[in-house]
Amino acid sequence: QVRLVESGGGSVQAGGSLRLSCVVSGTIFSAFSMGWYRQAPGKQRELVASIRAGSTNYVDSVKGRFTISRDNAKNTVYLQMNSLKPEDTADYYCNRPYTPWDYWGKGTLVTVSS
């Protein structure tokens, strides 16, 4: 069974940075594209970044500020978040992009204050 464990969230002021990590187990990590999603209070979960064979994609609202990367040797996907804004406040989750596994991790909370 796939297991996803996110970490690295926290509380920062606007303009600050955080690096999220997600360790994936129970599957052949290197075989899959990976993504980071976020869900703000009262809003639907949205895919904000994805990585596939070295190619990356971002939602417009995070382009130029967030960077997704992966280390297949560590079964880990990362999200470097710079120039954080209050509107980035959300729970962040990793999963496959567009066709996520049924299982979701607990996520990691990012809170950005103005």
Side-chain angles (χ1 to χ4, degrees):
Q1 182 179 355
V2 173
R3 185 165 184 244
L4 308 166
V5 180
E6 300 92 350
S7 63
S11 296
V12 297
Q13 291 190 328
S17 298
L18 286 171
R19 188 194 194 203
L20 307 184
S21 300
C22 173
V23 179
V24 181
S25 59
T27 189
I28 303 173
F29 175 74
S30 60
F32 296 102
S33 301
M34 288 298 300
W36 280 96
Y37 296 76
R38 68 184 179 188
Q39 186 166 21
K43 295 188 177 181
Q44 289 190 333
R45 188 174 294 170
E46 67 169 339
L47 177 66
V48 297
S50 63
I51 183 166
R52 175 184 178 187
S55 176
T56 58
N57 285 285
Y58 302 92
V59 68
D60 285 347
S61 60
V62 308
K63 280 182 181 177
R65 300 188 298 121
F66 290 11
T67 302
I68 188 172
S69 61
R70 66 190 296 164
D71 184 338
N72 288 341
K74 296 182 178 180
N75 284 8
T76 301
V77 59
Y78 303 97
L79 187 67
Q80 178 66 44
M81 306 186 297
N82 298 328
S83 302
L84 283 161
K85 303 176 180 181
E87 51 263 44
D88 295 318
T89 295
D91 285 303
Y92 285 74
Y93 304 85
C94 70
N95 209 314
R96 294 191 306 179
Y98 310 114
T99 56
W101 289 298
D102 291 339
Y103 174 84
W104 290 83
K106 294 182 178 180
T108 188
L109 176 63
V110 172
T111 304
V112 185
S113 58
S114 58

